[in-house]
Amino acid sequence: MEFMLGVQRLKLNAVSTVWVDTVWDCEFTDIEPLDSAIEEDIKEDPDVFKNVYKQLLPFSSDDDSTQSVWTVLGENGVSVKSLVAVLACFVLGAKAKSPSVEQRRHSLQAASLYLLLLKIPGSVANKVFHQILFDTCLDIILKCWPQSSGKKRKKDSLKSSQGDPKSGKRSKSQKKASEEMEIDEDEEEDEEEEVYFSAQDLLRMREDVVALVRTLLRLLEKFSLRDKPQSADSCMRIFTELTNFEPVIGELSFTEKRDVDRVESLPELAYRGLWLLCSSNHGEGNECRRRVFHRLLYVILMMRKEERAKPCPLPPSQTVCKARDQAVLFISQIVDAQTEATLPLLRILLQHICHQMVEKAEYRASGAQAVGKLMTKMPSQDYAVFVKWLYNYSQNTRVVFRMFALDVAMVLLGLDEREADDSLGPELAVYLSHRFLVRNIVFGRRSDVSPTVRGHALHCLAQSLELPSHNATKWIHELFSSSSTTGAQTLLETGRSEQTLKRTEMAQKTALTFRTIELSKHKSLAGASRRSGDGSGDGVSQYATSLEYQETMALFKQRVSDPKTNVRKCALETILSLLKHGVIPCTLENLAILSERCRDPAVSVKKKAMQCLMDLLTVLSDSSEVQEAWLRGVVPAVIDSESSVQEKALECLDDIILTHIKSHSSYRHDNTSQKLAWGLLGLICDKCQDLGHYFSKAFSVWARQQKFSAAFVNSLIWHTEGERAPGAWLLLAKVARCSSKLNYGTILEAWDRTVRSPVVSVATTCHILTVIGDTVSGINDDTKSRIVDDLMGWLKGFSLPLEVISSSVETLFRLGQSENTKDTMAFLNQFCGELVSLCEEYLSSVLLNERGAENLNEELLVKYLYTLGVASLHCPAKVQKRVFLLVQSILTSSEQPGSEEGVELPASQPLSQFKASSMPTVVRAHAVVTLGKLCLQHEELMVRYLPAFARELEVGRELAVRSNVVVVLCDLCVRYPNTLTRYIPNISACLKDAEPLIREQTLIMLTNLLQEEFVKWKGSLFYRFATALVDPDPSVADLCEYCLVDLLLKKNPLMFSQHFIECIFYFNSYEKHKKYNKFPETESQKKKLSLKGQMNQGKRFRIYRFLLKNFTDEQRFNITTRISQDILACFVDSELPLDAEGAELLADVFDVLSLKEIKLTAMSGPAPGDEPPEDEMAAAKAVLQKKLVSQVQKKNFVENVIPMVIALKNMLEQHRSPVLKHLMAYLQVTMQDYRTEVKELFAADEQLAAEVEFNLKMFEKQKEQEQQELAQQLGNFTLSPRPKGSAAASPAAGVGGRPGIGTPLAPGSAQRPSNNCKSADMLRRRTFAGMLTPVGRRGSQSMICSGSSKGGFDGRAISTPQESINEVTFGEQVSAIHYEGAPGRHNIPGDESILHLMSPEHQAPAPRQWNVESPIVRKSRSKKRQL
């Protein structure tokens, strides 16, 4: 018989029975090698196992006529145990170190033969199955195949085996792990050096692997693994590994029942095996399906899951992505085939995909697509339930969860919207609509705590409008509809959801065992859902209020100005989509959002804004508003400080304008791009003339690049006639200077037409004059003379607009310019001197004639003044002193300021030699400019007239005049910087002018002077400049921030830290220090610039916070030491008196030291919106850095600060100063970082240590109470109205994050006759009320009185706080704690809202003597008793 002949070749009779028993006793794990002679005899036939396999195959059929193989073996005296032992010996041969190709093939063939034996009926009875050997046969499939990524897998497994910090397991030392890694790599290198595989070897091994897998599939069809869960799991593991064993050509079909012998693809065979394992033949209920889904989970996640190891992501290669798609397709088809059984598992699978998602964007996008495809297999009921779960998932505390929820929502929005059927309840029907996804998940994350999530939500909102489905667009339109009756959540609710998100807790139930993941929300969300009224389910609001259009746009403007760069870029993308799709109108206000971001501090945001404007212009090229917004955003960027931004702006201008300037033959009226280019040029000539300077800068850059050819210039000349003439002359004016070949005839013809006709377009006329001036070198002398005569005729007529006058004089200068300087000056003196003489005659006739002003032509006088100023710059020798006097007389005010009571007149030169004039404001304003131009050329007269300018700034009442004076003085600073230094205080005083325009202009001019170093930070200039930070006009304050941080601080990084100490003295108007605040200022200036007192406390601390926020950690560290040495030490050494002013200053100092902005960044931790670092090394580095910085800061605190604090505390206690509260508040905030070291740090003052420790305990207790109260408020959904002006601004709002610590008494409600007492009382009102017992919010009257309403006090002193005292007022005449015996207390209904006052005429009763002992005294007394 052939079968027995094949079996005999296995030499089973020669095998020792003892060896066989040993193999079985060792459970096929550590067996002795087979006798070498027997092994060599078996290996003589390389296909011995394959031949036996073929001869044994007929016995595996279910045909009853076939003789039993077990009978055959028994009749021939062949032991089944020996056969299995020999097969096991060859199977385990592949596990040897560096097995050869022959060993690998024999192992695979022996494993196939063993699995075939298991398939034959009777194998169980003959005890052929052994779990370990079965699992080994499966493992060698991957063991025998050469792994190209062996090193990678070993490194990953090593990395994952080093312990998880979250699980608390101790990891290996880094050195030991590195040594192991080196050893493993050396072993692998040796293996690769010893074993080489040819293509033929690989093909034969693949055939053996395919044969083995086919045998396994035939086995699983008949052999049940119901009682063998470990073996079933091994099959699933191998099949899962084989799904990405090799690429698959075409699509796989899992439902088609093909013979396994015809299937050649290993992934297809693997999925066939998984399909078999999903049957009930291999497990109870859904257990096998659950394990299969769990295995495929990591294929979908593109992760590798080793046994008992943390999953690690795989590189997203084409093979891995293909395997993921096949896994999704397999699950989809198995759900179709076994719907009822697999739907619960599908929901669990989707939850685990969400829960174990990798944070990287490519993995999230892939996972979201997989979730979307699998959700299409869900019926509406399960779909709605999962969307509901997804909504709760989108509010999880982990950032990656909220990000992935947005990705899934975007995929679902791309699918067809489901219609609710009758079987679906109304509480779930709402989850089927795309409206819910848009509003609650995508739009609901717009104000997320994390900037990453905020930005992604805005990005998703923009992408929703690009989807082919119109449903998302429709619901986004509804969001921005002001007439919507079913609006989304209000911004107030959004703020509530942010706070809720911070406290959302997740309860995960056995996630790694592949069970349902339940997300428990905060009770405030559950309460809100229950109050929705119609049972719509958890997290579904009823949109009871309408989200107005203005409110939504305000939110987007806030996001465009977000501190995080990525959020700003995503907000710009969203604004673009909203404008492009008509969701919001293309108004100038909305378009300005994009234009303004082209000047963002971040380079990437600037480029993004320009790209958005480019995209919008492409779509809406016919909109003049869009064109103007594009110009105002892109054109100014050509002078950006970043070269890459300049290049981007130049590229945009080139692509949109220059490229589409075509010649006569190529021009098409219906060409959209050409029409757009000329439309933009027309806007620059009309509405956007202020952009001309930036446009000229672009052309200067292009000129250096030789971008303008002769053909381009001739094309422009052809366009100078007709409707495109303004734009053509604009471009000619920019390129004429750099072009060598021009058609002068056309230009001169245009000039002749311009001279003969009245000035119609001022801009076009100026451009023509510019072109004439640029083409002087190509014009002959006769033509020059004719043009000069034409210009003089124009100018002497004094009928030209002011802009044309300036251009005409400039062209006249260029016509007379020559290489000989004397000839040039003679030409200018002749023609410009003639203009000066004409102006002098006219001014004399008007100003010196008694009746000259009766029929005054205001417009004509302005033109004479303007012509005089422009012409005088070119012929200073022709300007006589008489001209100065005439112009100065115009500035003489018609109403001289009187010496009103209490008003100090400026010490400047009066203009009493002229009688008062009654010139209009516009004339006086132009006279200022003209006089400034005259002063530029005459230094000796400039010195004489500077006091007149300074006087006008101080007493002038006309806005235009004062504005021009500021411009003139700043221009003179460039020409005469040393002379104008003494007038810088006069200029900087304009930062407190009553007119916002003058304040803004002064700010800009001073910034330019400081940048160019024509003005230095001398005197009080910095402090005056800083007062603009609290300007009542928000635009001026924002401009000041920009100037200080983005322009001036970059030039001088030490600017803020150098001036900070003196800021405290200057803003408190404290002048008793020997060094600081010693500036020569008049009383009126001091009063005007002072920020002293309680009313300005909020302004002072806004400046302090701004400066500190821009400090480096080194500067923060040093400033704390300097404050201690320069201020605190002066009070300790009695160099500064502790009077009322000193108390105010000292209170500010302690409040500044308590600010969170002064805390080192390394100590303060991440910002509220920042995510913790995912990298363990980064997290460990941050912890180490914080520990190191903490030690340095602690040393500085002990050596420099604590001695001063202790000495000051004793001094303040002696004076009973209310500043003591500020000192204790500072200690309370500072000692949060040294909570366990209080006694050690304050060893020199045990009483102070006890007080600080007590305060910290009370603070922690109160903080817990605040959180409970806040949670209760959110749960009850109640919001208390805040009356306007109820609390003054206080720095305490930024100390430790404790709001609401202002005193409940209005300033001035109680006054004492003594000034000192009054100052002390005011100081008490500005202290941190209740700082010793910090509270989270202001208590109501009824809460404050709760202690006395129960029948008296409990015998505790007021200095011993308790919970019932939420806030304590330390005023001497008014107390917030009411006595039980107050008259009429119990007779007045509703008396909770009445504050009982004590009459100032009655003497306050003597204070009650309380039996209170300090802990230190009690401790010392007990020691004495023991002695």
Side-chain angles (χ1 to χ4, degrees):
M1 188 178 181
E2 294 183 3
F3 170 66
M4 289 308 302
L5 292 176
V7 173
Q8 290 175 5
R9 293 172 185 165
L10 296 177
K11 310 298 180 181
L12 299 179
N13 295 331
V15 177
S16 170
T17 307
V18 177
W19 179 84
V20 173
D21 293 338
T22 303
V23 171
W24 280 86
D25 292 341
C26 292
E27 299 287 342
F28 302 99
T29 54
D30 187 16
I31 63 175
E32 296 181 1
L34 187 62
D35 185 79
S36 58
I38 299 175
E39 185 176 356
E40 290 298 328
D41 291 341
I42 296 174
K43 289 182 178 180
E44 285 183 359
D45 185 2
D47 297 329
V48 59
F49 295 107
K50 291 181 69 175
N51 294 332
V52 175
Y53 183 92
K54 292 178 182 179
Q55 296 160 3
L56 186 61
L57 191 60
F59 292 96
S60 64
S61 64
D62 295 334
D63 190 358
D64 296 336
S65 62
T66 305
Q67 188 179 6
S68 173
V69 70
W70 315 112
T71 304
V72 175
L73 292 174
E75 291 175 353
N76 290 274
V78 177
S79 171
V80 177
K81 292 183 63 177
S82 299
L83 176 61
V84 172
V86 171
L87 293 177
C89 179
F90 281 90
V91 168
L92 293 174
K95 289 194 172 183
K97 181 179 178 180
S98 302
S100 64
V101 176
E102 183 184 16
Q103 286 178 307
R104 294 171 192 249
R105 293 197 63 194
H106 283 159
S107 178
L108 292 169
Q109 295 171 7
S112 299
L113 184 56
Y114 174 72
L115 295 180
L116 183 60
L117 278 175
L118 291 178
K119 183 180 180 294
I120 298 175
S123 62
V124 177
N126 287 274
K127 299 181 180 179
V128 177
F129 178 82
H130 193 282
Q131 180 176 318
I132 295 178
L133 181 57
F134 181 82
D135 293 346
T136 305
C137 291
L138 300 181
D139 290 337
I140 64 168
I141 296 177
L142 299 178
K143 178 66 178 176
C144 291
W145 187 258
Q147 300 290 334
S148 59
S149 60
K151 291 184 180 181
K152 177 69 176 178
R153 280 209 323 276
K154 192 171 280 289
K155 290 179 184 178
D156 290 342
S157 61
L158 178 62
K159 180 180 178 181
S160 60
S161 65
Q162 290 181 4
D164 186 4
K166 297 182 180 179
S167 62
K169 296 181 181 179
R170 186 176 180 180
S171 61
K172 298 180 181 179
S173 65
Q174 186 176 0
K175 180 178 180 181
K176 185 176 182 181
S178 62
E179 292 175 353
E180 291 181 0
M181 184 178 295
E182 293 175 358
I183 293 174
D184 291 338
E185 290 180 355
D186 293 338
E187 290 178 354
E188 291 169 356
E189 290 175 359
D190 294 339
E191 178 181 348
E192 292 181 358
E193 290 177 359
E194 294 175 2
V195 183
Y196 298 94
F197 301 96
S198 64
Q200 195 70 20
D201 294 336
L202 292 175
L203 286 175
R204 290 173 180 174
M205 280 194 294
R206 185 188 179 280
E207 291 176 359
D208 295 334
V209 171
V210 171
L212 177 57
V213 175
R214 287 173 178 170
T215 306
L216 178 60
L217 293 180
R218 295 191 188 98
L219 174 65
L220 294 177
E221 291 176 354
K222 305 295 182 182
F223 192 81
S224 175
L225 298 179
R226 182 187 298 271
D227 300 328
K228 306 170 182 64
Q230 184 174 346
S231 298
D233 194 63
S234 298
C235 291
M236 295 174 190
R237 176 174 54 81
I238 294 300
F239 286 143
T240 305
E241 292 285 347
L242 291 176
T243 55
N244 60 354
F245 184 84
E246 60 186 7
V248 177
I249 300 175
E251 294 292 335
L252 298 181
S253 177
F254 309 105
T255 56
E256 182 182 354
K257 299 300 181 181
R258 289 199 299 165
D259 187 4
V260 294
D261 292 332
R262 297 182 179 179
V263 179
E264 294 292 338
S265 173
L266 276 172
E268 187 172 355
L269 290 171
Y271 281 114
R272 181 69 64 88
L274 292 174
W275 189 285
L276 291 173
L277 291 174
C278 287
S279 65
S280 58
N281 188 36
H282 299 287
E284 296 290 341
N286 275 339
E287 192 58 33
C288 279
R289 299 187 190 93
R290 183 187 303 276
R291 292 201 296 267
V292 169
F293 277 39
H294 191 193
R295 286 288 178 181
L296 292 177
L297 165 68
Y298 299 103
V299 179
I300 297 174
L301 291 172
M302 299 190 295
M303 301 173 72
R304 178 181 296 277
K305 177 66 168 68
E306 301 287 351
E307 294 297 327
R308 299 181 180 179
K310 185 178 179 182
C312 57
L314 294 171
S317 62
Q318 184 178 3
T319 304
V320 173
C321 295
K322 187 69 174 178
R324 174 206 65 207
D325 298 337
Q326 294 167 0
V328 173
L329 181 61
F330 171 79
I331 293 175
S332 301
Q333 294 189 12
I334 203 171
V335 170
D336 291 337
Q338 307 172 20
T339 304
E340 293 185 1
T342 54
L343 275 178
L345 299 178
L346 179 60
R347 184 168 63 252
I348 294 173
L349 174 66
L350 294 176
Q351 291 177 355
H352 278 260
I353 291 175
C354 297
H355 186 264
Q356 301 188 44
M357 179 49 56
V358 182
E359 189 173 3
K360 295 182 180 179
E362 49 191 344
Y363 291 89
R364 286 192 287 104
S366 169
Q369 291 293 335
V371 171
K373 292 177 182 177
L374 294 175
M375 286 186 67
T376 59
K377 302 299 178 181
M378 285 183 164
S380 297
Q381 177 84 15
D382 296 84
Y383 181 92
V385 171
F386 184 78
V387 172
K388 176 183 176 181
W389 182 91
L390 184 68
Y391 173 71
N392 295 335
Y393 170 84
S394 70
Q395 295 186 340
N396 194 275
T397 53
R398 290 190 60 185
V399 171
V400 63
F401 286 6
R402 306 200 296 277
M403 294 280 286
F404 188 64
L406 292 170
D407 293 327
V408 174
M410 286 300 299
V411 173
L412 296 181
L413 286 173
L415 305 176
D416 293 336
E417 187 173 9
R418 299 197 179 199
E419 297 292 338
D421 50 20
D422 298 335
S423 62
L424 197 63
E427 67 279 1
L428 291 177
V430 66
Y431 295 102
L432 296 180
S433 173
H434 284 178
R435 182 176 189 266
F436 179 84
L437 296 173
V438 171
R439 286 181 174 275
N440 292 63
I441 296 183
V442 178
F443 194 68
R445 290 291 102 219
R446 68 199 182 277
S447 299
D448 194 273
V449 178
S450 167
T452 307
V453 181
R454 285 200 305 270
H456 193 51
L458 295 174
H459 172 75
C460 291
L461 192 66
Q463 293 299 316
S464 300
L465 292 169
E466 306 295 338
L467 295 174
S469 174
H470 297 290
N471 290 325
T473 304
K474 178 177 68 175
W475 300 128
I476 293 177
H477 272 278
E478 185 186 272
L479 284 174
F480 290 85
S481 175
S482 59
S483 59
S484 173
T485 57
T486 56
Q489 294 169 313
T490 62
L491 293 180
L492 188 60
E493 291 171 333
T494 301
R496 176 191 60 81
S497 65
E498 287 187 22
Q499 297 298 326
T500 304
L501 178 60
K502 295 178 181 178
R503 297 180 301 279
T504 303
E505 296 178 356
M506 180 196 68
Q508 175 186 349
K509 297 185 178 179
T510 61
L512 297 181
T513 56
F514 206 67
R515 294 294 188 270
T516 301
I517 298 176
E518 298 180 3
L519 300 176
S520 61
K521 298 186 304 176
H522 194 271
K523 57 185 179 181
S524 61
L525 284 180
S529 302
R530 288 192 298 269
R531 285 186 295 275
S532 57
D534 60 350
S536 60
D538 268 347
V540 184
S541 66
Q542 295 303 304
Y543 311 115
T545 58
S546 172
L547 185 64
E548 297 294 338
Y549 168 77
Q550 295 83 358
E551 197 174 35
T552 309
M553 288 308 301
L555 173 68
F556 274 94
K557 290 179 181 178
Q558 182 182 0
R559 291 293 164 261
V560 168
S561 304
D562 195 274
K564 298 297 181 179
T565 302
N566 182 59
V567 179
R568 300 202 297 274
K569 292 167 63 177
C570 293
L572 290 174
E573 182 183 0
T574 307
I575 294 291
L576 168 65
S577 296
L578 296 174
L579 292 168
K580 188 165 61 174
H581 292 275
V583 179
I584 59 177
C586 290
T587 61
L588 293 178
E589 181 182 3
N590 293 338
L591 292 169
I593 299 175
L594 298 178
S595 301
E596 291 172 358
R597 284 302 107 189
C598 291
R599 291 172 289 281
D600 192 273
V603 174
S604 60
V605 179
K606 296 177 186 177
K607 295 182 178 179
K608 182 67 175 180
M610 283 192 282
Q611 187 60 49
C612 289
L613 287 171
M614 289 288 289
D615 296 342
L616 188 62
L617 186 65
T618 304
V619 177
L620 304 173
S621 58
D622 294 334
S623 173
S624 60
E625 290 81 5
V626 175
Q627 294 177 6
E628 182 177 353
W630 184 87
L631 288 172
R632 297 199 175 278
V634 174
V635 176
V638 298
I639 62 169
D640 194 87
S641 57
E642 292 289 337
S643 59
S644 60
V645 178
Q646 295 180 17
E647 294 172 359
K648 177 69 174 178
L650 293 171
E651 179 185 352
C652 294
L653 289 170
D654 187 16
D655 293 341
I656 299 298
I657 297 179
L658 293 189
T659 305
H660 301 289
I661 303 299
K662 304 295 182 181
S663 62
H664 173 67
S665 59
S666 303
Y667 179 75
R668 298 291 181 270
H669 292 277
D670 55 349
N671 187 290
T672 305
S673 299
Q674 296 181 13
K675 186 178 178 181
L676 173 61
W678 289 108
L680 292 171
L681 291 173
L683 281 175
I684 296 178
C685 297
D686 185 15
K687 294 182 180 179
C688 304
Q689 295 185 30
D690 54 313
L691 301 177
H693 170 68
Y694 311 108
F695 206 51
S696 301
K697 174 65 175 178
F699 278 88
S700 64
V701 175
W702 287 329
R704 291 194 296 269
Q705 300 172 357
Q706 298 181 354
K707 201 174 186 64
F708 309 117
S709 62
F712 177 80
V713 177
N714 292 328
S715 299
L716 291 177
I717 294 176
W718 177 78
H719 287 287
T720 53
E721 298 181 5
E723 59 181 6
R724 295 177 299 280
W729 282 112
L730 168 65
L731 293 182
L732 273 176
K734 307 301 181 184
V735 304
R737 179 174 296 182
C738 58
S739 179
S740 57
K741 296 181 180 180
L742 286 175
N743 191 340
Y744 298 109
T746 305
I747 296 174
L748 294 176
E749 290 177 4
W751 168 248
D752 292 337
R753 290 194 303 270
T754 304
V755 172
R756 290 193 298 267
S757 61
V759 176
V760 179
S761 173
V762 174
T764 303
T765 304
C766 293
H767 294 150
I768 294 175
L769 287 169
T770 303
V771 173
I772 294 293
D774 292 335
T775 59
V776 168
S777 59
I779 301 176
N780 55 40
D781 294 339
D782 294 337
T783 305
K784 285 184 183 179
S785 301
R786 180 168 59 85
I787 296 176
V788 169
D789 294 339
D790 294 338
L791 288 175
M792 290 301 296
W794 256 14
L795 291 170
K796 288 191 289 186
F798 294 98
S799 60
L800 299 176
L802 301 184
E803 297 87 347
V804 179
I805 293 175
S806 179
S807 298
S808 299
V809 174
E810 177 64 22
T811 304
L812 187 66
F813 165 74
R814 300 185 68 178
L815 288 169
Q817 196 173 11
S818 63
E819 296 180 357
N820 192 331
T821 307
K822 294 183 178 180
D823 294 342
T824 302
M825 292 306 302
F827 177 87
L828 294 176
N829 288 334
Q830 176 185 352
F831 293 101
C832 293
E834 183 180 355
L835 294 176
V836 171
S837 301
L838 292 175
C839 295
E840 180 183 354
E841 292 177 5
Y842 180 79
L843 293 178
S844 300
S845 64
V846 173
L847 300 176
L848 302 181
N849 192 349
E850 294 183 359
R851 298 185 178 182
E854 293 181 358
N855 299 319
L856 178 65
N857 188 335
E858 179 180 317
E859 182 180 358
L860 184 60
L861 180 57
V862 167
K863 291 179 179 180
Y864 271 96
L865 282 171
Y866 190 82
T867 304
L868 173 62
V870 174
S872 64
L873 293 175
H874 297 288
C875 57
K878 294 295 182 180
V879 179
Q880 305 298 324
K881 184 176 180 181
R882 173 188 173 90
V883 176
F884 279 87
L885 297 177
L886 289 173
V887 177
Q888 184 183 8
S889 66
I890 300 177
L891 295 178
T892 307
S893 175
S894 58
E895 297 180 5
Q896 297 292 342
S899 57
E900 300 176 5
E901 184 178 357
V903 177
E904 181 183 359
L905 292 177
S908 58
Q909 177 184 356
L911 301 177
S912 56
Q913 63 268 38
F914 301 99
K915 70 173 184 179
S917 65
S918 57
M919 290 295 175
T921 301
V922 64
V923 176
R924 287 168 47 79
H926 279 86
V928 169
V929 177
T930 301
L931 188 59
K933 292 177 181 178
L934 294 173
C935 291
L936 286 174
Q937 299 288 356
H938 300 80
E939 182 176 1
E940 65 284 355
L941 294 176
M942 177 271 301
V943 175
R944 176 181 175 185
Y945 293 118
L946 280 179
F949 289 135
R951 177 180 181 277
E952 193 64 37
L953 280 182
E954 297 189 36
V955 302
R957 300 177 182 178
E958 297 161 315
L959 171 62
V961 176
R962 297 203 314 277
S963 177
N964 285 352
V965 169
V966 172
V967 175
V968 167
L969 288 177
C970 291
D971 283 348
L972 291 175
C973 285
V974 178
R975 183 72 172 84
Y976 312 107
N978 296 330
T979 306
L980 268 294
T981 300
R982 58 174 297 190
Y983 291 97
I984 294 300
N986 301 84
I987 300 174
S988 60
C990 294
L991 291 169
K992 301 296 287 185
D993 195 274
E995 296 293 339
L997 176 64
I998 294 181
R999 299 199 300 270
E1000 180 179 0
Q1001 186 165 275
T1002 305
L1003 198 61
I1004 295 173
M1005 300 295 290
L1006 284 176
T1007 301
N1008 291 333
L1009 293 174
L1010 289 166
Q1011 277 187 293
E1012 300 297 330
E1013 296 188 355
F1014 292 111
V1015 172
K1016 306 290 185 180
W1017 288 115
K1018 293 182 178 179
S1020 61
L1021 178 59
F1022 177 84
Y1023 315 105
R1024 296 186 177 192
F1025 203 100
T1027 56
L1029 291 168
V1030 291
D1031 194 275
D1033 190 339
S1035 62
V1036 178
D1038 293 342
L1039 176 63
C1040 181
E1041 290 188 11
Y1042 171 76
C1043 293
L1044 284 173
V1045 176
D1046 297 297
L1047 300 179
L1048 300 174
L1049 186 62
K1050 292 180 179 180
K1051 193 174 184 65
N1052 182 10
L1054 301 177
M1055 178 176 65
F1056 288 175
S1057 59
Q1058 290 173 344
H1059 294 88
F1060 186 81
I1061 298 289
E1062 196 156 14
C1063 276
I1064 302 176
F1065 288 94
Y1066 185 85
F1067 294 137
N1068 280 280
S1069 300
Y1070 191 84
E1071 301 176 351
K1072 297 180 181 179
H1073 196 280
K1074 61 182 180 181
K1075 175 181 177 183
Y1076 296 114
N1077 197 19
K1078 298 296 183 180
F1079 306 119
E1081 294 181 338
T1082 63
E1083 291 299 325
S1084 61
Q1085 289 177 339
K1086 292 180 181 179
K1087 184 178 180 181
K1088 189 176 183 180
L1089 298 166
S1090 174
L1091 293 177
K1092 182 181 180 181
Q1094 169 67 14
M1095 298 301 296
N1096 294 315
Q1097 181 187 3
K1099 295 181 179 180
R1100 292 198 305 274
F1101 274 84
R1102 181 181 174 186
I1103 299 174
Y1104 297 154
R1105 285 196 182 96
F1106 172 80
L1107 298 178
L1108 290 171
K1109 186 174 66 175
N1110 293 282
F1111 273 29
T1112 63
D1113 269 357
E1114 180 184 0
Q1115 292 172 346
R1116 291 189 180 97
F1117 182 83
N1118 293 333
I1119 203 66
T1120 305
T1121 305
R1122 288 184 56 200
I1123 289 176
S1124 176
Q1125 296 173 353
D1126 293 356
I1127 303 180
L1128 300 183
C1130 291
F1131 285 98
V1132 172
D1133 299 338
S1134 300
E1135 294 181 11
L1136 298 179
L1138 194 59
D1139 52 8
E1141 292 183 350
E1144 288 276 353
L1145 178 69
L1146 200 55
D1148 256 23
V1149 170
F1150 283 120
D1151 291 350
V1152 166
L1153 292 173
S1154 302
L1155 292 175
K1156 64 180 181 180
E1157 287 81 4
I1158 204 173
K1159 194 173 184 181
L1160 302 185
T1161 307
M1163 294 290 296
S1164 58
D1170 294 343
E1171 296 83 20
E1174 294 289 339
D1175 188 8
E1176 297 177 7
M1177 291 295 295
K1181 182 179 179 181
V1183 172
L1184 182 62
Q1185 181 183 12
K1186 181 176 181 180
K1187 184 176 181 180
L1188 182 62
V1189 173
S1190 176
Q1191 294 298 326
V1192 176
Q1193 190 180 32
K1194 175 184 174 182
K1195 181 180 179 181
N1196 177 68
F1197 186 66
V1198 171
E1199 295 178 356
N1200 298 320
V1201 180
I1202 288 183
M1204 301 294 179
V1205 170
I1206 294 177
L1208 276 174
K1209 177 180 175 292
N1210 297 331
M1211 182 184 301
L1212 294 174
E1213 286 179 341
Q1214 294 176 1
H1215 290 79
R1216 297 184 178 181
S1217 173
V1219 182
L1220 182 61
K1221 290 187 194 331
H1222 297 264
L1223 186 149
M1224 296 302 295
Y1226 161 64
L1227 289 178
Q1228 178 177 319
V1229 172
T1230 306
M1231 295 310 297
Q1232 292 295 323
D1233 297 326
Y1234 311 104
R1235 181 67 181 83
T1236 60
E1237 307 174 49
V1238 176
K1239 292 183 179 179
E1240 176 187 350
L1241 296 177
F1242 291 95
D1245 192 333
E1246 295 183 0
Q1247 182 178 355
L1248 180 58
E1251 292 179 7
V1252 172
E1253 193 168 6
F1254 173 77
N1255 293 338
L1256 292 175
K1257 290 180 180 179
M1258 292 302 300
F1259 173 74
E1260 293 171 356
K1261 185 176 180 181
Q1262 189 66 32
K1263 191 174 182 180
E1264 295 178 0
Q1265 182 180 356
E1266 293 171 20
Q1267 294 179 351
Q1268 296 175 359
E1269 292 176 357
L1270 182 59
Q1272 183 178 3
Q1273 287 181 358
L1274 293 175
N1276 297 332
F1277 230 21
T1278 57
L1279 296 169
S1280 303
R1282 182 188 294 272
K1284 295 183 179 180
S1286 58
S1290 173
V1295 182
R1298 298 183 299 276
I1301 50 180
T1303 175
L1305 299 179
S1309 59
Q1311 299 181 357
R1312 295 290 298 269
S1314 172
N1315 289 334
N1316 292 334
C1317 295
K1318 177 179 178 180
S1319 301
D1321 191 51
M1322 291 298 294
L1323 183 59
R1324 290 187 180 98
R1325 294 194 184 98
R1326 58 152 284 178
T1327 57
F1328 303 143
M1331 181 59 78
L1332 297 180
T1333 53
V1335 295
R1337 57 182 178 83
R1338 175 171 302 170
S1340 63
Q1341 185 79 12
S1342 59
M1343 293 177 66
I1344 296 176
C1345 303
S1346 59
S1348 60
S1349 61
K1350 296 182 181 179
F1353 298 96
D1354 57 358
R1356 296 171 64 88
I1358 190 173
S1359 60
T1360 309
Q1362 60 181 1
E1363 289 186 4
S1364 60
I1365 305 178
N1366 288 328
E1367 202 165 36
V1368 180
T1369 304
F1370 293 93
E1372 298 181 0
Q1373 294 185 355
V1374 182
S1375 177
I1377 303 178
H1378 301 285
Y1379 290 97
E1380 182 183 8
R1385 168 71 176 154
H1386 301 286
N1387 299 329
I1388 302 177
D1391 57 348
E1392 290 82 359
S1393 60
I1394 298 177
L1395 183 65
H1396 297 275
L1397 303 179
M1398 187 178 299
S1399 174
E1401 299 177 358
H1402 297 284
Q1403 185 177 2
R1408 177 179 174 180
Q1409 297 297 324
W1410 301 97
N1411 186 17
V1412 179
E1413 293 181 353
S1414 69
I1416 303 300
V1417 175
R1418 189 182 302 113
K1419 184 177 179 180
S1420 59
R1421 182 174 297 178
S1422 62
K1423 288 183 179 180
K1424 291 180 180 179
R1425 291 177 180 176
Q1426 291 175 1
L1427 294 176

